[in-house]
Amino acid sequence: MTNAPLSATELAAQLADRFGLTDADLRYGLSQDELFAAALAGDRGRVRRDGPDDEPKAHATALGVDGPLVFYSDPDCTGRPVHDTYAVDRPAFSDRIWWKPGFSPFDPEEFDELLPRVIAHLNERRSTLYVTDVFCGWDPDFAEPYRFVGEYASHAYFCNIMFPAGVRDDVDRSRHCWTLINVPSFRCVPERDGTRSERAVIIDLEREVALVLGPADYCGVNKKTMFTIMNFVLPDKGQLPMHCSANVGERGDAAILFGLSGTGKTTLSADPHRKLIGDDEHVWTDTGVSNFEDGCYAKLIDLDKDNEPVIAAALSMKGTLIENVPPLPGRPLAETDPQELDLTDDSITENTRFAYPLTCNPNVAPGARGPHPETIVLLTADAFGVLPPVSLLDGDEVMYHFVQGFTSKLAGTEVGVTEPEATFSACFGAPFMSQKAHVYAELLAKRMHEHETRCILLNTGWSGGPYGVGSRISLRYTRVMLDAALSGALDGVETVRHPVFGLRMPTSCPGVPDEILDPRRTWDDPEAYDRTARELRERFHANFAAHGYGELGIRDVMPD
């Protein structure tokens, strides 16, 4: 099956009329098998810091086309290029965009000169470009047409994994379509192009186009750019976009799990006893929750195949993509079974990734949609090791912790992050939230009030001490605590208030030792725990004040 509702002639005319792209060799609507072959034959670039610019970037394993495609990004872009990500500062949008580090304003005049320069580059080179038409969103009322145009067949292959096709007819695509033009061969010149480096990711909300230029070929850029766009478009329609995973139980009890990359959204939502809606990006509309995507993009580093059987099995499935997992020493990838790859090898990056279709999961919700959620889970990976593993939140506490978005950036998810760092990321996804944080908080409060949704704060980080001293909370215990919350087993349970954070901690949870529920009891030095907890509390206070959340009507629930 192809994603080609238009003829090749119609597509070429659209790209010529809209962008002036006239002389490129357009490969449109290719099947995944055709893109697989094209990636092996043609995707070339840098894969080693000391290597040339024309090495193969895509490889097959011993399974050939019946297994995963293996892709290697530029070694300087194995995560999102945060400091090179921009939005065009058009007057009609400037006041509504949430400008911040990682989403900087780009001069409109410079962009209006840069875009034709990129097109001229493609025309002059008579570049081969792979084009696929998909949608961002499974809900036909809110799905946005998305067209990928890029030099790497691997990226088109990735987009076909991650985004649905045929959600609705797209006869309006010629008039309204978000187009991402991905050109690794175009190296930006900062003095000429207005960028910070030779790479750039630039979104123009007014012209409905995004550029990905230079060594910015991490596959995740092709999905997170579109997520950032959706986070601007949907609130204007009264709908809540969310950086979360979602699933639904046998009782029709849906749950959403907020969290940054690496906090467990993919892992915890892949539950054989619940139907998966999706693992990363969703919208909560008037009718329920629906996925933006048609695939999952999971971290592979240190994957425990026994604890993650769904992901482990998918590694050998057709139509998947493994990113930046090194080959075995002395053995070509073409002679390697995917199951033999060393998933502990971080010699390229800790942010090794795996893209696979939702259909690789054995239990997917029909149409990647579900009802209004009964439970909201706020995931945090606390590198200080002081937050309780599970806390029960009331309405004010939900708003507070949602806008604070405390977690730890985990190694490799962004360029330059090599070990966990404490961070506050509003809405558990600030880098992608293109409108201001209170917009999403108000929409979440409205939805929770309407549907009487319960909420927990679930810590998937450290216990017994900070990162480097303590240990990561057992995934087995985390799953037990999550299951208890989803089933209602924690409703009305006896709780105690944490003396520093004021959080309500259950005193018991079936299947979990009582001492684990109180983080202070897991430290060898209780006084060191108290000091560390107070230090983190002060960071909460400082972040709340710095962003003026109190002035937006959000109550400060953290004790002094």
Side-chain angles (χ1 to χ4, degrees), residues 358-379:
L358 282 176
T359 52
C360 289
N361 292 277
N363 200 16
V364 179
R369 301 169 72 178
H372 298 291
E374 287 186 9
T375 307
I376 292 174
V377 181
L378 306 184
L379 294 170

Side-chain angles (χ1 to χ4, degrees), residues 492-538:
V493 72
E494 181 182 353
T495 62
V496 295
R497 287 281 181 184
H498 190 282
V500 177
F501 300 114
L503 292 164
R504 287 188 300 139
M505 304 182 298
T507 58
S508 63
C509 176
V512 179
D514 291 350
E515 60 271 16
I516 289 177
L517 299 174
D518 183 347
R520 190 174 189 268
R521 294 171 65 184
T522 68
W523 282 51
D524 293 334
D525 185 345
E527 292 184 359
Y529 172 87
D530 294 339
R531 277 195 310 274
T532 306
R534 289 193 295 266
E535 290 170 3
L536 180 57
R537 180 180 63 188
E538 291 311 306

Side-chain angles (χ1 to χ4, degrees), residues 26-367:
L26 302 176
R27 308 289 177 88
Y28 176 53
L30 301 185
S31 70
Q32 289 296 77
D33 284 0
E34 290 169 326
L35 287 170
F36 192 104
L40 299 184
D43 288 0
R44 296 290 185 274
R46 194 170 70 122
V47 299
R48 296 174 294 146
R49 284 192 171 87
D50 58 350
D53 288 336
D54 60 352
E55 289 192 90
K57 295 182 75 70
H59 302 264
T61 67
L63 300 180
V65 72
D66 292 323
L69 183 70
V70 181
F71 178 78
Y72 295 99
S73 68
D74 186 282
D76 291 324
C77 192
T78 57
R80 293 185 308 104
V82 176
H83 300 297
D84 296 299
T85 299
Y86 311 85
V88 180
D89 190 9
R90 306 278 186 195
F93 297 91
S94 184
D95 290 344
R96 295 161 55 210
I97 293 175
W98 183 11
W99 303 113
K100 52 189 176 292
F103 202 55
S104 303
F106 199 89
D107 182 84
E109 292 184 3
E110 290 185 319
F111 184 83
D112 291 342
E113 294 176 358
L114 176 59
L115 177 56
R117 193 177 296 130
V118 172
I119 299 301
H121 168 86
L122 294 170
N123 284 332
E124 289 165 7
R125 291 166 58 95
R126 297 187 178 275
S127 300
T128 297
L129 296 177
Y130 299 92
V131 184
T132 188
D133 282 347
V134 290
F135 287 91
C136 189
W138 272 99
D139 186 331
D141 291 332
F142 299 104
E144 290 285 322
Y146 174 27
R147 173 171 290 162
F148 171 85
V149 181
E151 292 181 307
Y152 288 159
S154 298
H155 285 166
Y157 185 88
F158 174 84
C159 288
N160 284 342
I161 294 171
M162 294 306 304
F163 294 97
V167 171
R168 57 175 172 80
D169 71 57
D170 57 354
V171 294
D172 62 339
R173 197 178 285 264
S174 62
R175 302 185 304 275
H176 168 58
C177 178
W178 295 95
T179 303
L180 186 145
I181 303 174
N182 193 315
V183 191
S185 68
F186 186 95
R187 301 298 176 102
C188 299
V189 179
E191 298 79 9
R192 178 195 67 190
D193 298 323
T195 60
R196 292 190 180 95
S197 72
E198 63 180 4
R199 69 183 172 208
V201 178
I202 312 170
I203 298 171
D204 189 339
L205 293 164
E206 186 169 272
R207 297 178 65 176
E208 297 186 347
V209 63
L211 294 178
V212 179
L213 306 174
D217 59 355
Y218 171 61
C219 287
V221 172
N222 299 299
K223 85 185 203 81
K224 287 303 185 187
T225 301
M226 196 61 208
F227 181 45
T228 304
I229 290 168
M230 295 296 279
N231 285 333
F232 193 88
V233 170
L234 287 174
D236 290 350
K237 300 178 180 180
Q239 312 307 323
L240 174 62
M242 304 175 293
H243 189 219
C244 70
S245 58
N247 59 26
V248 60
E250 296 176 354
R251 299 183 292 102
D253 54 310
I256 53 179
L257 293 81
F258 286 98
L260 288 177
S261 297
T263 56
K265 295 192 312 301
T266 299
T267 297
L268 294 172
S269 59
D271 184 332
H273 304 294
R274 298 176 64 84
K275 292 183 183 295
L276 180 69
I277 299 172
D279 81 319
D280 197 33
E281 300 165 2
H282 295 79
V283 60
W284 188 352
T285 69
D286 298 330
T287 58
V289 174
S290 63
N291 198 345
F292 285 159
E293 301 177 321
D294 196 25
C296 300
Y297 191 43
K299 288 194 74 174
L300 282 181
I301 196 69
D302 296 329
L303 181 81
D304 185 325
K305 292 184 180 181
D306 291 331
N307 283 333
E308 306 294 340
V310 171
I311 300 173
L315 284 169
S316 299
M317 291 185 183
K318 181 182 178 68
T320 62
L321 184 148
I322 295 173
E323 186 173 16
N324 287 327
V325 174
L328 296 173
R331 191 191 305 183
L333 280 166
E335 299 175 8
T336 303
D337 186 282
Q339 297 297 336
E340 297 176 312
L341 290 170
D342 181 2
L343 302 183
T344 69
D345 189 340
D346 62 358
S347 58
I348 294 177
T349 177
E350 286 205 24
N351 193 35
T352 52
R353 288 279 178 170
F354 179 46
Y356 57 99
L358 282 176
T359 52
C360 289
N361 292 277
N363 200 16
V364 179

Side-chain angles (χ1 to χ4, degrees), residues 313-448:
L315 284 169
S316 299
M317 291 185 183
K318 181 182 178 68
T320 62
L321 184 148
I322 295 173
E323 186 173 16
N324 287 327
V325 174
L328 296 173
R331 191 191 305 183
L333 280 166
E335 299 175 8
T336 303
D337 186 282
Q339 297 297 336
E340 297 176 312
L341 290 170
D342 181 2
L343 302 183
T344 69
D345 189 340
D346 62 358
S347 58
I348 294 177
T349 177
E350 286 205 24
N351 193 35
T352 52
R353 288 279 178 170
F354 179 46
Y356 57 99
L358 282 176
T359 52
C360 289
N361 292 277
N363 200 16
V364 179
R369 301 169 72 178
H372 298 291
E374 287 186 9
T375 307
I376 292 174
V377 181
L378 306 184
L379 294 170
T380 180
D382 171 27
F384 289 88
V386 292
L387 287 180
V390 63
S391 307
L392 312 183
L393 306 182
D394 63 25
D396 286 340
E397 291 168 333
V398 172
M399 290 301 97
Y400 178 87
H401 287 282
F402 181 70
V403 298
Q404 292 277 47
F406 169 73
T407 188
S408 300
K409 287 180 184 175
L410 300 185
T413 56
E414 294 182 4
V415 173
V417 178
T418 58
E419 62 180 36
E421 297 177 357
T423 186
F424 291 89
S425 186
C427 313
F428 292 91
F432 323 116
M433 299 300 155
S434 39
Q435 294 210 37
K436 295 168 186 176
H438 71 90
V439 172
Y440 309 103
E442 290 168 2
L443 284 168
L444 180 61
K446 176 177 180 291
R447 291 275 185 245
M448 288 184 62

